[in-house]
Amino acid sequence: MTLNSLPQHLKERVRLLSEHPLQEEGTYVLYWMHHAVRDYENPALDTAIHMASTLDIPLLVYQGLSGAHRFNSDRHFTFILEGARDVAAQFEKRGIRYAFHLDADSSAGSPLYSLGQQAAVVITEDYPAPPFPRWIKRLADQITPPVWAVDSHCIIPMQSIGKWYSRAYHFRNKIGSNAWERAARNWPEAASTPKYFSEELSWDVLDWETVSIADLCASCDIDHSIGPIHHTPGGMMAGHARWSAFLEKGISRYDKTRNDPTLSLPSGVSRLSAYLHHGHVSPFTVARDAVREASSGAHKFLDELLIWRELAFNLCFHNNNVEEVSILPQWVHDSFERHLQDEREKVYDWEDFASGRTGDALWNLAQQSLRIHGELHNNVRMTWGKAVLNWTASPQESLDILLDLNNRYSLDGSDPNSYAGILWCLGLLDRPFPPEKPILGLVRPRSSARHQSRIDMSRYARQLERFPRMQSLKVAIIGAGVAGLAAARTLQDNGCAVTVFDRGRKPGGRLASIEVSGHHVDLGAPVLSFKDPRLRLWVESWHKKGLIQDWVVREADWSSF
Ligand SMILES: Cc1cc2nc3c(=O)[nH]c(=O)nc-3n(C[C@H](O)[C@H](O)[C@H](O)COP(=O)(O)OP(=O)(O)OC[C@H]3O[C@@H](n4cnc5c(N)ncnc54)[C@H](O)[C@@H]3O)c2cc1C
């Protein structure tokens, strides 16, 4: 039994990640689900159903979540868990066993390897953005059964494109009419129902009907300083509601409204990217609905979906260095090199960026949108990305900061589109734009000042305020020690109005010091050690600002006492 038993619409999407034959003694087919979290129009699921039915063995769908992903926080966990709850209900209705594993403190380890080892074949999605290619390959290398990666994200299967296209124009020429023709097709759902997997699992499964997602997040060893986005719940239901609203009220005017971040929702843009990123909504449904809509707005929307989105997948599919400036073309390197010594008017550290405390009002609003709302309007995102080049010492530092902020705060972060969009800001997928400018050289400029003059800034600010958010919460914190101040900072970063009260004369609590004869004398802690890796970027920023210093043990000079 090989790949050839699959129908063509699935076979063309499968990549064999190892040469291993099907494991004859394997007692089930395992589908490892991660970025196509839905039970319909899902090529990976259909491949798994087909294989289980053909081999006449049960199908087990597995999804895992742990703190292993570097940007895990309450925000991402909540969205993923809400998606899992929806898909669990759907699988239950369809009589397909779905097993979700939450590794709260990353100590239990993932059961994926042991489950995979006993399977006849492991099916997963071919997801090209880091760290998934590495994780999927590692699984394929370490287990005996074969691992098949199935493209469940692109209308045109990624592997059929054959090479990397570094310009949208050429990509459009290559796939244009084929993409439109495929976009209009109905997805042929798998007709069979595989045998039910009824074996005991090695962990206690969640009861989705009673479990509290907030409590689950609280129990996990993740970054709790980045809160959930209540106006954008995860899951198939919420994703479809958002898509339906846009289809009904927004898409027909998308060509005219898409660049205006100040328009009332949901009309300007679809705000679907987080749902597409996690596969809560099928790109096949979205593409087909848009083709049927047939307006000039839908035409523009399809260009974004079929050309720009799939160009981003093409980029990640063919390049494993999307987090490094080495991916940029030579003309960009030469250009940056010529301007590396150009004076930066201002250089900001990670904390300045993360908190939205630059000297640029539009940039700060954009960052506020990311930090508090977990999303950023695409047109503003371009200005946001370009500006960072002017405020960092090197292009690699810009890339690191942009990827960090985007993937940390945005619900659609770590998507191929995150990489393509940010690398575009640094000159990838673009052409030289003479004449040479300071710092950017020949890379296409994008002036924040000009952008601000084009939009109604106060309306954009109000637009961000209009989301239901934590700002309505007024919080009083008693105690301005390090714990109270950290809580205040976290709440403020999430949009709350915070007032800190302390009975002392100044903040600091047991970190306070007094001055004696011109010397600072610690009343409490002389040194704090920051062992939690989640604090690293904060500590580096405070270090750069001179707010903290390395602890150097010195001989005391008592002469002045
Ligand atoms: C001598 C000494 C040495 C130490 N050395 C180290 C060290 O080397 N490394 C290390 O990591 N830690 C050290 N520590 C511990 C560290 O200082 C504390 O763990 C930390 O500062 C506690 O911070 P906190 O915010 O929890 O509490 P606190 O710093 O105690 O802050 C509590 C705040 O609440 C205020 N407050 C309390 N009640 C009220 C009220 N009713 N109304 C209004 N305000 C109120 C207080 O005035 C205070 O400002 C040391 C502590 C001491 C005392």
Side-chain angles (χ1 to χ4, degrees):
M1 179 90 40
T2 63
L3 203 57
N4 288 328
S5 68
L6 289 173
Q8 178 57 23
H9 72 280
L10 297 177
K11 193 164 76 176
E12 66 177 357
R13 295 182 169 275
V14 178
R15 227 158 40 91
L16 307 187
L17 295 185
S18 58
E19 297 296 317
H20 305 170
L22 293 183
Q23 180 162 254
E24 280 182 19
E25 56 275 28
T27 52
Y28 53 88
V29 169
L30 181 71
Y31 166 29
W32 171 27
M33 173 185 260
H34 42 89
H35 283 90
V37 183
R38 59 180 185 270
D39 77 318
Y40 73 101
E41 297 198 351
N42 179 344
L45 173 64
D46 288 357
T47 304
I49 290 176
H50 182 90
M51 290 307 293
S53 302
T54 311
L55 295 167
D56 199 25
I57 54 178
L59 167 64
L60 173 63
V61 181
Y62 168 83
Q63 188 183 357
L65 184 61
S66 80
H69 196 291
R70 64 200 139 157
F71 296 115
N72 277 342
S73 61
D74 286 29
R75 176 166 302 173
H76 294 304
F77 263 40
T78 301
F79 196 85
I80 291 168
L81 287 163
E82 287 166 342
R85 185 175 53 193
D86 269 16
V87 85
Q90 293 307 116
F91 279 130
E92 171 122 31
K93 277 189 212 151
R94 287 185 60 177
I96 293 176
R97 181 79 178 274
Y98 166 75
F100 185 91
H101 181 260
L102 179 67
D103 189 6
D105 59 5
S106 305
S107 63
S110 165
L112 175 63
Y113 284 72
S114 56
L115 286 173
Q117 187 56 37
Q118 295 160 52
V121 54
V122 177
I123 313 287
T124 192
E125 297 128 30
D126 202 355
Y127 197 74
F132 277 85
R134 193 163 36 85
W135 287 359
I136 295 168
K137 181 79 174 69
R138 195 169 57 201
L139 176 71
D141 289 346
Q142 290 189 12
I143 62 173
T144 317
V147 176
W148 295 3
V150 186
D151 181 347
S152 305
H153 313 285
C154 292
I155 306 301
I156 305 247
M158 287 179 283
Q159 62 182 348
S160 71
I161 306 287
K163 67 168 196 169
W164 175 38
Y165 283 82
S166 59
R167 297 294 306 279
Y169 169 78
H170 296 129
F171 189 69
R172 191 180 282 110
N173 280 348
K174 162 79 180 167
I175 70 163
S177 59
N178 187 12
W180 286 72
E181 186 272 315
R182 276 174 176 265
R185 289 184 200 166
N186 285 325
W187 179 259
E189 296 284 7
S192 53
T193 302
K195 281 185 171 165
Y196 191 77
F197 178 94
S198 49
E199 286 175 38
E200 284 280 307
L201 294 168
S202 62
W203 69 95
D204 293 335
V205 291
L206 297 170
D207 178 354
W208 291 105
E209 293 202 354
T210 56
V211 79
S212 149
I213 286 179
D215 288 350
L216 281 181
C217 287
S219 73
C220 292
D221 185 18
I222 52 175
D223 186 349
H224 298 299
S225 71
I226 302 172
I229 304 294
H230 298 297
H231 58 63
T232 302
M236 293 161 57
M237 310 301 164
H240 277 281
R242 185 163 288 186
W243 172 237
S244 300
F246 181 66
L247 201 55
E248 193 187 323
K249 296 191 190 132
I251 196 170
S252 62
R253 295 185 302 126
Y254 177 75
D255 51 331
K256 299 173 189 73
T257 58
R258 71 196 182 97
N259 287 337
D260 188 348
T262 70
L263 291 177
S264 309
L265 299 168
S267 60
V269 289
S270 71
R271 297 176 61 230
L272 210 60
S273 56
Y275 298 100
L276 284 169
H277 171 63
H278 288 281
H280 297 171
V281 165
S282 157
F284 304 99
T285 310
V286 171
R288 196 172 53 248
D289 287 351
V291 168
R292 287 183 186 153
E293 223 279 332
S295 58
S296 58
H299 194 277
K300 186 67 203 162
F301 182 83
L302 278 164
D303 191 65
E304 295 290 324
L305 186 75
L306 302 177
I307 306 301
W308 286 100
R309 179 172 178 273
E310 302 215 353
L311 181 67
F313 277 81
N314 174 261
L315 163 72
C316 292
F317 187 76
H318 288 281
N319 296 282
N320 59 11
N321 57 342
V322 290
E323 297 189 337
E324 293 155 29
V325 289
S326 60
I327 196 171
L328 299 173
Q330 194 56 46
W331 70 264
V332 175
H333 283 289
D334 295 344
S335 186
F336 282 147
E337 188 66 34
R338 286 193 295 276
H339 294 274
L340 211 51
Q341 303 308 325
D342 289 1
E343 193 186 340
R344 272 72 175 156
E345 215 171 87
K346 190 82 197 159
V347 173
Y348 296 110
D349 59 42
W350 178 86
E351 186 191 23
D352 299 327
F353 284 122
S355 312
R357 290 185 191 151
T358 72
D360 183 301
L362 179 57
W363 202 94
N364 294 346
L365 281 180
Q367 181 58 25
Q368 177 187 328
S369 177
L370 264 188
R371 200 182 65 245
I372 299 178
H373 302 299
E375 64 181 67
L376 181 51
H377 188 282
N378 195 42
N379 196 258
V380 180
R381 205 181 305 220
M382 293 191 260
T383 306
W384 169 86
K386 290 272 183 193
V388 171
L389 280 165
N390 294 308
W391 300 327
T392 45
S394 72
Q396 183 65 56
E397 198 186 325
S398 300
L399 181 58
D400 292 345
I401 285 187
L402 287 167
L403 288 176
D404 181 283
L405 298 177
N406 187 78
N407 297 349
R408 183 179 297 273
Y409 292 109
S410 185
L411 279 175
D412 67 9
S414 304
D415 190 86
N417 282 278
S418 311
Y419 290 95
I422 286 169
L423 286 165
W424 175 85
C425 293
L426 273 68
L428 192 75
L429 310 172
D430 209 357
R431 65 172 175 83
F433 268 73
E436 297 255 350
K437 281 89 37 196
I439 303 172
L440 271 77
L442 291 173
V443 171
R444 182 197 296 251
R446 198 171 159 98
S447 155
S448 176
R450 210 165 305 141
H451 198 163
Q452 289 179 46
S453 71
R454 280 206 320 268
I455 61 173
D456 182 339
M457 284 288 285
S458 51
R459 198 164 164 210
Y460 181 43
R462 282 200 306 278
Q463 185 62 34
L464 294 177
E465 296 294 326
R466 222 172 280 144
F467 286 96
R469 56 183 255 194
M470 288 173 79
Q471 204 198 27
S472 53
L473 284 182
K474 283 189 174 173
V475 183
I477 291 183
I478 314 291
V482 65
L485 292 176
R489 181 61 183 272
T490 303
L491 287 163
Q492 192 182 52
D493 282 351
N494 280 280
C496 297
V498 182
T499 311
V500 182
F501 298 89
D502 199 290
R503 65 182 172 192
R505 270 171 299 176
K506 56 181 189 177
R510 276 174 284 162
L511 287 179
S513 56
I514 54 167
E515 207 174 295
V516 178
S517 308
H519 294 270
H520 282 286
V521 178
D522 292 316
L523 294 180
V527 58
L528 285 175
S529 42
F530 298 98
K531 294 200 180 107
D532 190 326
R534 285 169 291 197
L535 291 172
R536 183 180 62 83
L537 290 165
W538 295 100
V539 173
E540 281 174 12
S541 300
W542 297 335
H543 207 270
K544 272 190 190 164
K545 286 193 180 86
L547 295 173
I548 54 174
Q549 288 179 350
D550 289 331
W551 175 249
V552 183
V553 181
R554 279 171 301 200
E555 281 293 311
D557 173 9
W558 299 103
S559 57
S560 56
F561 287 89

